[in-house]
Amino acid sequence: DQQVKQNSPSLSVQEGRISILNCDYTNSMFDYFLWYKKYPAEGPTFLISISSIKDKNEDGRFTVFLNKSAKHLSLHIVPSQPGDSAVYFCAASGAGNMLTFGGGTRLMVKP
Amino acid sequence: NAGVMQNPRHLVRRRGQEARLRCSPMKGHSHVYWYRQLPEEGLKFMVYLQKENIIDESGMPKERFSAEFPKEGPSILRIQQVVRGDSAAYFCASSPPTGSHEQYFGPGTRLTVT
């Protein structure tokens, strides 16, 4: 059972435009959500997170939105840059500290 | 301020051999987590350790896999009698002792079983 899902395996965006990556979860016990970026042959790099008591968190070009009633979160990157091309993972955390990851979305930003 | 260190970066083992993967957490971090990533999949939690204690091993296969985080030295993930299905990228992450949800990952060890 996949508790965290990223339904789009890939996304292609023009440089300068907005990238929107989506994530859905099923477990209502999750209370913290994170986004990681991963390049090939490297470990995931933490990008931004949000607590379940908030609905938005912003850090520079990155904004995460959380809709608890829909069990949905999204990561907005604006403006998108070619260096943003990577695989993005959504992750969720509950009481147990462990992270449950989605399957990832490959973002390609075209110059 | 060194990040999470993992070694080796690449490890090749024949079926039946043992694999030992090492992880040194970030300075000041006392919580260590191991995750496995199979090709074209997301990361899957294996085990959560604090110094000298296994806190949660619910994601660890019951046989052949073990993990430790001794008082001194790195955390070790040990896989005995490896099989081809163990081929994957193994990532270690660490977090500070203050209950932070953010985990910081190492570069991973790519295990290939031939």
Side-chain angles (χ1 to χ4, degrees):
Chain A
D1 62 335
Q2 259 190 298
Q3 297 187 68
V4 178
K5 283 187 182 178
Q6 294 176 255
N7 290 318
S8 298
S10 65
L11 174 68
S12 184
V13 168
Q14 205 67 35
E15 181 179 5
R17 307 294 289 268
I18 185 170
S19 296
I20 301 176
L21 297 103
N22 294 303
C23 178
D24 297 293
Y25 63 97
T26 57
N27 189 340
S28 57
M29 299 303 289
F30 289 143
D31 60 4
Y32 205 85
F33 303 89
L34 308 91
W35 284 94
Y36 285 85
K37 173 182 179 180
K38 187 180 182 300
Y39 293 118
E42 294 185 13
T45 301
F46 170 72
L47 272 179
I48 191 169
S49 61
I50 188 167
S51 165
S52 61
I53 62 173
K54 295 186 175 180
D55 56 17
K56 177 182 173 181
N57 189 24
E58 192 172 350
D59 184 1
R61 296 186 299 116
F62 302 92
T63 303
V64 55
F65 295 93
L66 175 63
N67 182 334
K68 277 183 66 179
S69 60
K71 292 192 177 69
H72 176 84
L73 64 154
S74 60
L75 174 68
H76 293 210
I77 307 173
V78 57
S80 301
Q81 299 172 353
D84 295 330
S85 297
V87 177
Y88 288 77
F89 289 100
C90 163
S93 173
N97 281 38
M98 71 176 95
L99 296 180
T100 301
F101 281 84
T105 297
R106 184 177 304 277
L107 173 66
M108 292 162 283
V109 180
K110 298 177 184 175
Chain B
N1 188 13
V4 178
M5 310 285 282
Q6 288 189 252
N7 69 83
R9 293 293 308 274
H10 301 274
L11 182 61
V12 179
R13 284 287 177 266
R14 291 200 184 98
R15 279 178 296 170
Q17 291 185 319
E18 178 179 291
R20 280 189 179 229
L21 289 62
R22 292 172 186 77
C23 168
S24 295
M26 285 179 71
K27 189 174 180 180
H29 286 192
S30 57
H31 297 203
V32 165
Y33 311 80
W34 286 93
Y35 294 83
R36 175 165 66 176
Q37 186 184 25
L38 296 171
E40 306 303 321
E41 293 187 12
L43 284 75
K44 297 283 195 295
F45 167 77
M46 297 181 76
V47 62
Y48 163 34
L49 309 106
Q50 296 177 18
K51 285 283 186 184
E52 298 184 281
N53 282 307
I54 296 174
I55 306 302
D56 183 345
E57 56 182 345
S58 58
M60 193 100 96
K62 293 288 181 277
E63 297 177 354
R64 302 189 297 108
F65 285 72
S66 62
E68 62 176 5
F69 188 16
K71 189 176 178 182
E72 302 290 337
S75 175
I76 307 283
L77 179 67
R78 183 180 177 208
I79 311 172
Q80 295 179 289
Q81 299 172 331
V82 295
V83 301
R84 287 226 171 101
D86 296 332
S87 295
Y90 292 82
F91 292 98
C92 169
S94 71
S95 66
T98 53
S100 167
H101 288 269
E102 283 93 24
Q103 296 178 17
Y104 298 88
F105 283 81
T109 294
R110 265 147 194 83
L111 172 66
T112 302
V113 179
T114 62

